[in-house]
Amino acid sequence: MIHIGHNILSDPDILLPFIQSKQVLIVTQQTIAQWYLKELQAILTGHQCDVIFLAEGEQYKNIEEWQKIISALVANKHERDTTLIALGGGMVGDMTGFAAACYQRGVNYIQIPTTLIGQVDSAIGGKTGINHPLGKNLIGAFYHPQCIIADVNTLTTLSDREFSAGLAEVVKYGLICDADFFGWLEKNIVSILAKDKNALLHIVRHCSAIKTKFVALDEKDHGERRLLNFGHTFGHALETLHGYQAILHGEAVAIGMIMAAQWSEKLGFISAADVLRIRNLLDECRIKMDLPSIPYADLIEQMHRDKKVKNGELTLVLLEKIGKAVVSIEKGLSCSLSYCHASQPSLA
Amino acid sequence: MIHIGHNILSDPDILLPFIQSKQVLIVTQQTIAQWYLKELQAILTGHQCDVIFLAEGEQYKNIEEWQKIISALVANKHERDTTLIALGGGMVGDMTGFAAACYQRGVNYIQIPTTLIGQVDSAIGGKTGINHPLGKNLIGAFYHPQCIIADVNTLTTLSDREFSAGLAEVVKYGLICDADFFGWLEKNIVSILAKDKNALLHIVRHCSAIKTKFVALDEKDHGERRLLNFGHTFGHALETLHGYQAILHGEAVAIGMIMAAQWSEKLGFISAADVLRIRNLLDECRIKMDLPSIPYADLIEQMHRDKKVKNGELTLVLLEKIGKAVVSIEKGLSCSLSYCHASQPSLA
C-alpha cells in the first residue's frame, strides 16, 4: 500500500490503521527529525513511542549502527506485534526494514521516505539491508513494509545536492523503460529543480508505479527487476571504493549510467548522440559528478564482488535505446573499458 | 526434505543434488570437524569448498561470530547461487541459517545436524537466529534449508552430557502430544542411553515427524507451534541469566519443563504423581540439573523479555495431562511461583 500526497505525513487516518499495538519505534536521523519528528509523534501520543537516531552518512549503514535499533527494541521491551517506523531517506529505510526483518524473526514496519530517492525507489520493493566493509548491501533481506507514506512536501527540505542526486534514479526510469517520461523530464527540468508541487507529485506517482510494476513481475530480482540496476553495478563499485563518503548514491548511479551508456554505444546499441543526450539531462539535473579518479583495475575487481556476479561473469544492464534496457552478460570487461575521471568517464 | 539414516553424512547421492553451483561454504566447529569434516570434504572435491570454524559455546552465538560467516562469504567471493552447509549442532545450524538468510538477501543452505537436539528439533522448521546480550534468539529469520541430513551415527561421538541434554527435547514431544511415546521412552531408557542404533533411528524419525507436523500447521509460530515451547520460556530465562555458559539448552529446557509441570499441577491440570513421573524420566535421562540459584525476581523480569510476551502477558505452555499441552496466558506470575534451587524447582 503506497500513499502519495502533499502534507500527508502526519495524517492519523493514513498512519494509524497500520499500527497494530501500543508499541512504536521511530527510527530517524537528526537532520530530518528537526523538520518532521514532532508532527509524527503528535499523532502517536496514545502509544509507547520510542525514538532512535541513526548516525548520518552511508558509512554508518553498517552492522554496528543497525545493532542500535535492535538494542533499542530489546531495551524498551518491544514485543512481536510492535511497529517500526522509518522516517528518513533510503539509508534509514533500508536499516529499519532489515531490523524489522530480524527482530524476533520479523515484526511490522512502515516506510515514511523523506528523500526523492526513497520515494521513487528504495522504499518500494522490500529490499532491506546494510553494507559490509567490502561491499554495499551485502547483508539484508527481502521484507516488505505494511505501508509506504510518500509526502512530497518533505522534498522541499532536502538539500539541493541530495535532491539532484535523487533525480538520477528518476532519469533511470525514463532510460530503461519510458522514453516519453525521459522527454518529459527534459522539458520540465526547470519546474522540477524549483520543486514545483505538481511536478514532484507527477514524478513520485509515475516512478513509484514503474517500480511497483517491476517488483510485481520479479520480486526476488532474478529477471525483469534486474533492469532497475541500470548504472548500479558501476555505481556500487564507485561507492565502495570511495568509502561511501565522497559520493551520494544517486551521484554514483549517474556516473554509472553514463558508463553503461558508453558501453552500450561501444556495442553498437545506442548512438554517440544518445550518450550525449543522457549526459546532458544528468548535467541539467545538477548532479555532482566530479570525483577523484580510481585505478580501473580496482573498479573491475570491486565490480566482481557485486551481488550480480554469477560464475565470475558480470551481469550488466545496457541500453538498446533510450527507453529500453536489456540485461547483458559480460566477460573480459577488464580489457575493454577505461576509467579516467568519474566526471568524464570515457572509453579507451 | 529430511533424510534420516545411519552413515549417510557423506553419501554423494543424497548431498550433491542440493548443491546448485560450484561454491560451497561449510560452517562447523572444531569438536565436530575432527570427526566428520574430511569425509564431507571428500565428496566436494569438485567444488570451491571453503570452511569456517565457529567458536564453541552458546556464549558465542552472537553477532560478532555470525559476522565471520558473512565475511568468509564476501572474502571468498561467494555468489548468489552459493550453498552453505551447517555441519554441527543447533548453534551451528541457527547461525548458518541466519547467515544464509541475510547474505545477499538470501542464499541456499543445507543442515547436517550432528547433535540429538539438532536432529529432533532445531534443524527442522526454519527458525534461524543469534542471541542478543539481553535475550536468546532475539535476532533471526524464518528461513528453510534446501534439505536436512540427519545421520544418527554422529550421535555416537556426542559427549554423554550433550546427548542427555538433547533427550530433554525428546521427552518434550512425548509430554506435549504423545503419551505413548513418553511411555516408550520410559521403557527403553537403557538402550537409548547405550545409543543403540535402532533406538536412535526411532527417536529421530518419530520426533522429526512430530516437529514437521507442527511447523506445517503453523510456520510463523502464532498458534499450534507454540506448544513446542513447553519448558522454553523458563528455560530461555535461565540460559540468559547464567550467561549461556553454566547450562546447556536441553538442561535449561528440562528444568523449565519441571517448573511448567509444577505450575500445571498448581492450576489443577495434572497430579503430583504426574510431576514426579516427569521428573523421574528426566533424571533417568541423566540430564544435569544442578545449578546455582537465581533470585526469582530476576527470572520473572527475564521471562518478560521473552519473544512470547504480548501486552505484558506471558504466554506459557502448560500440561493438561501427559501427552497434551495447552497454551495459557499468565498474569501476575511473579507472586505465585517460587524459585529455589534449579535442581529442585518448587512452588511456594
Side-chain angles (χ1 to χ4, degrees):
Chain A
M1 172 76 78
I2 307 181
H3 293 275
I4 300 164
H6 191 261
N7 273 329
I8 61 170
L9 184 145
S10 54
D11 183 338
D13 294 337
I14 292 179
L15 181 70
L16 294 182
F18 294 96
I19 294 178
Q20 61 176 7
S21 84
K22 286 290 169 199
Q23 293 187 310
V24 173
L25 174 69
I26 300 173
V27 183
T28 188
Q29 290 172 321
Q30 290 291 357
T31 302
I32 198 74
Q34 67 179 320
W35 296 103
Y36 306 108
L37 180 59
K38 276 193 182 148
E39 58 174 287
L40 184 57
Q41 285 174 311
I43 54 172
L44 292 165
T45 48
H47 292 73
Q48 173 197 330
C49 181
D50 299 307
V51 181
I52 183 167
F53 297 93
L54 300 180
E56 309 202 11
E58 181 85 14
Q59 70 271 32
Y60 295 108
K61 191 177 169 181
N62 58 29
I63 203 150
E64 292 75 25
E65 201 67 17
W66 173 80
Q67 276 183 273
K68 291 184 190 167
I69 307 175
I70 300 288
S71 291
L73 290 164
V74 179
N76 293 296
K77 299 186 184 176
H78 281 253
E79 301 176 2
R80 272 192 185 173
D81 53 4
T82 187
T83 304
L84 277 65
I85 299 178
L87 175 68
M91 174 180 163
V92 169
D94 284 4
M95 293 178 77
T96 305
F98 186 48
C102 297
Y103 182 61
Q104 302 207 11
R105 300 199 186 93
V107 298
N108 288 333
Y109 77 111
I110 292 168
Q111 292 271 21
I112 305 184
T114 58
T115 61
L116 184 53
I117 215 159
Q119 294 184 2
V120 301
D121 180 20
S122 53
I124 306 158
K127 281 193 184 178
T128 72
I130 54 180
N131 300 328
H132 184 275
L134 293 178
K136 196 169 151 70
N137 291 329
L138 285 181
I139 306 172
F142 286 96
Y143 198 71
H144 289 276
Q146 298 300 106
C147 80
I148 301 165
I149 300 172
D151 183 343
V152 297
N153 185 48
T154 61
L155 305 183
T156 60
T157 44
L158 280 183
S159 72
D160 289 340
R161 183 182 169 188
E162 267 190 298
F163 181 77
S164 286
L167 287 174
E169 297 282 2
V170 172
V171 170
K172 182 191 76 178
Y173 290 113
L175 285 173
I176 63 171
C177 67
D178 194 336
D180 288 348
F181 183 59
F182 188 87
W184 183 89
L185 292 170
E186 289 178 318
K187 284 192 200 78
N188 291 277
I189 188 67
V190 174
S191 55
I192 292 167
L193 288 175
K195 298 181 184 171
D196 171 78
K197 176 181 138 186
N198 290 323
L200 296 180
L201 280 171
H202 178 68
I203 284 175
V204 174
R205 284 189 185 128
H206 196 78
C207 295
S208 63
I210 294 176
K211 174 86 186 244
T212 302
K213 190 191 69 182
F214 273 104
V215 173
L217 282 172
D218 169 33
E219 191 200 349
K220 293 293 170 65
D221 210 3
H222 298 297
E224 287 281 315
R225 186 167 177 173
R226 290 181 299 170
L227 297 180
L228 295 173
N229 288 319
F230 180 64
H232 281 61
T233 303
F234 292 100
H236 284 168
L238 288 170
E239 283 179 280
T240 303
L241 293 172
H242 283 285
Y244 307 120
Q245 286 174 304
I247 188 167
L248 296 177
H249 175 66
E251 293 164 356
V253 169
I255 299 170
M257 290 196 295
I258 293 174
M259 296 179 87
Q262 289 175 321
W263 189 245
S264 309
E265 181 202 347
K266 187 172 172 1
L267 293 177
F269 287 158
I270 62 173
S271 67
D274 282 335
V275 177
L276 190 63
R277 193 177 158 203
I278 294 166
R279 189 183 288 194
N280 281 346
L281 179 55
L282 293 169
D283 276 341
E284 286 190 13
C285 290
R286 297 182 193 159
I287 301 169
K288 187 175 179 316
M289 291 188 274
D290 53 330
L291 276 179
S293 74
I294 281 176
Y296 189 65
D298 293 356
L299 189 71
I300 293 293
E301 164 78 10
Q302 185 56 45
M303 285 168 72
H304 278 89
R305 284 222 183 79
D306 196 274
K307 290 193 296 300
K308 266 74 75 181
V309 169
K310 187 161 177 170
N311 298 324
E313 295 171 342
L314 270 179
T315 302
L316 282 184
V317 181
L318 300 176
L319 286 186
E320 223 173 77
K321 59 183 181 182
I322 287 178
K324 181 150 196 257
V326 289
V327 169
S328 170
I329 311 295
E330 296 296 324
K331 281 189 180 181
L333 194 68
S334 56
C335 52
S336 311
L337 261 181
S338 139
Y339 180 84
C340 303
H341 276 79
S343 58
Q344 296 180 313
S346 66
L347 294 177
Chain B
M1 173 75 77
I2 307 182
H3 294 276
I4 300 165
H6 190 261
N7 273 330
I8 61 169
L9 185 146
S10 54
D11 183 338
D13 293 338
I14 292 179
L15 181 69
L16 295 182
F18 295 98
I19 295 179
Q20 61 175 6
S21 83
K22 286 289 168 197
Q23 293 187 311
V24 173
L25 175 69
I26 299 173
V27 183
T28 188
Q29 289 172 322
Q30 290 291 357
T31 301
I32 198 71
Q34 65 179 322
W35 297 102
Y36 306 107
L37 180 59
K38 275 192 185 151
E39 58 175 289
L40 186 58
Q41 285 175 310
I43 54 172
L44 292 165
T45 49
H47 291 73
Q48 174 196 331
C49 181
D50 299 307
V51 181
I52 183 167
F53 297 93
L54 300 180
E56 308 201 12
E58 181 86 13
Q59 71 271 30
Y60 295 107
K61 191 178 169 181
N62 59 29
I63 203 150
E64 291 75 23
E65 202 66 17
W66 173 81
Q67 276 184 273
K68 291 183 189 168
I69 308 176
I70 299 289
S71 290
L73 290 164
V74 178
N76 294 294
K77 299 186 182 174
H78 281 254
E79 303 177 0
R80 270 190 185 174
D81 54 4
T82 188
T83 304
L84 277 65
I85 299 178
L87 174 69
M91 174 180 163
V92 169
D94 285 5
M95 293 178 77
T96 306
F98 186 48
C102 297
Y103 182 61
Q104 301 208 12
R105 299 197 187 94
V107 297
N108 288 334
Y109 77 112
I110 292 168
Q111 291 270 21
I112 306 185
T114 58
T115 61
L116 184 55
I117 216 159
Q119 294 185 3
V120 301
D121 180 21
S122 53
I124 306 159
K127 282 192 182 177
T128 72
I130 53 179
N131 300 328
H132 184 275
L134 295 177
K136 196 169 151 66
N137 291 329
L138 284 179
I139 306 173
F142 286 97
Y143 199 70
H144 290 277
Q146 298 300 106
C147 80
I148 301 165
I149 300 172
D151 183 344
V152 296
N153 184 49
T154 62
L155 305 183
T156 60
T157 44
L158 280 183
S159 73
D160 288 343
R161 183 181 170 190
E162 266 189 299
F163 182 76
S164 286
L167 287 173
E169 297 282 1
V170 173
V171 169
K172 183 191 75 178
Y173 289 114
L175 286 173
I176 64 171
C177 67
D178 194 337
D180 289 346
F181 183 60
F182 188 86
W184 183 89
L185 292 170
E186 289 178 318
K187 284 191 200 79
N188 292 276
I189 189 67
V190 174
S191 55
I192 293 168
L193 288 176
K195 297 181 185 171
D196 171 79
K197 177 181 136 186
N198 290 323
L200 297 181
L201 281 171
H202 178 67
I203 284 176
V204 175
R205 285 191 183 124
H206 197 78
C207 295
S208 63
I210 295 175
K211 174 84 185 248
T212 303
K213 189 190 70 180
F214 273 105
V215 173
L217 282 170
D218 170 33
E219 192 200 347
K220 292 294 171 64
D221 209 4
H222 299 298
E224 288 281 317
R225 185 167 178 172
R226 290 181 300 170
L227 298 181
L228 296 173
N229 288 318
F230 180 64
H232 281 62
T233 303
F234 292 101
H236 284 169
L238 288 170
E239 283 180 281
T240 303
L241 293 172
H242 283 285
Y244 307 120
Q245 287 174 306
I247 188 167
L248 297 178
H249 176 65
E251 293 165 355
V253 168
I255 299 170
M257 289 196 297
I258 293 175
M259 297 178 86
Q262 290 175 321
W263 188 245
S264 307
E265 180 201 349
K266 187 171 173 358
L267 293 177
F269 286 158
I270 62 174
S271 66
D274 282 335
V275 176
L276 191 62
R277 194 178 156 203
I278 294 166
R279 189 182 288 195
N280 282 345
L281 179 56
L282 293 170
D283 277 341
E284 288 191 10
C285 289
R286 299 185 191 156
I287 301 169
K288 188 175 180 312
M289 290 187 275
D290 54 328
L291 275 178
S293 74
I294 281 175
Y296 190 65
D298 293 354
L299 189 71
I300 293 293
E301 164 78 9
Q302 185 57 44
M303 286 168 73
H304 278 88
R305 284 220 182 81
D306 195 274
K307 291 192 297 298
K308 267 72 75 182
V309 169
K310 186 159 178 171
N311 298 325
E313 294 171 343
L314 269 181
T315 302
L316 282 185
V317 181
L318 300 176
L319 287 187
E320 222 172 79
K321 59 182 180 182
I322 288 178
K324 182 152 196 252
V326 290
V327 169
S328 170
I329 309 296
E330 297 296 323
K331 281 189 179 182
L333 193 69
S334 56
C335 51
S336 311
L337 262 181
S338 138
Y339 180 84
C340 305
H341 276 79
S343 59
Q344 296 180 314
S346 66
L347 295 176

